[in-house]
Amino acid sequence: MRLLERVRKEWFMVGIVLVIAGAKLEPSVGVNGGPLMPEITVSYIAVATIFFNSGLSLRTEELTSALVHIKLHLFIQIFTLAFFPAAIWLFLQLLSITPINEWLLKGLQTVGCMPPPVSSAVILTKAVGGNEDSVSC
């Protein structure tokens, strides 16, 4: 009986393991053009579902109160989209004089200029008990 209780408690992890095992046994189901059509389901439906579910969990009062923090939102946008890429660029200038592979540096530059995914930020903020309303704005 303990095993069944544990499986019910950890249903999400059990589901992930089962899906991975299923993908290993029958990978043709998830390829482009396959029955799951990942070129559509992953690109559009899954992303829309994640944002929709995140939006449903937001409380309207907290969302509207988070919207008035314009200075905070501007700071986050400038830090994420200007300061951090500039700091990465300076760091890459220092690394360029070392024998590190040029393609590794180009990859680091690309990743350094990309903002973090909003869905991940919302999920991680919620997981640690933070105010996900401020992240969603």
Side-chain angles (χ1 to χ4, degrees), residues 91-104:
F91 182 60
L92 288 172
Q93 297 306 307
L94 292 172
L95 288 178
S96 67
I97 59 175
T98 66
I100 294 177
N101 186 312
E102 173 188 357
W103 288 102
L104 184 61

Side-chain angles (χ1 to χ4, degrees), residues 46-105:
V47 172
T49 303
I50 289 169
F51 279 103
F52 182 71
N53 284 338
S54 294
L56 287 178
S57 68
L58 297 175
R59 282 164 264 159
T60 310
E61 303 85 27
E62 289 185 17
L63 184 60
T64 52
S65 71
L67 283 171
V68 298
H69 300 296
I70 302 294
K71 288 181 182 178
L72 173 64
H73 295 296
L74 280 174
F75 170 76
I76 291 170
Q77 294 300 320
I78 291 169
F79 185 82
T80 303
L81 300 173
F83 174 77
F84 193 74
I88 290 291
W89 182 81
L90 283 172
F91 182 60
L92 288 172
Q93 297 306 307
L94 292 172
L95 288 178
S96 67
I97 59 175
T98 66
I100 294 177
N101 186 312
E102 173 188 357
W103 288 102
L104 184 61
L105 296 176

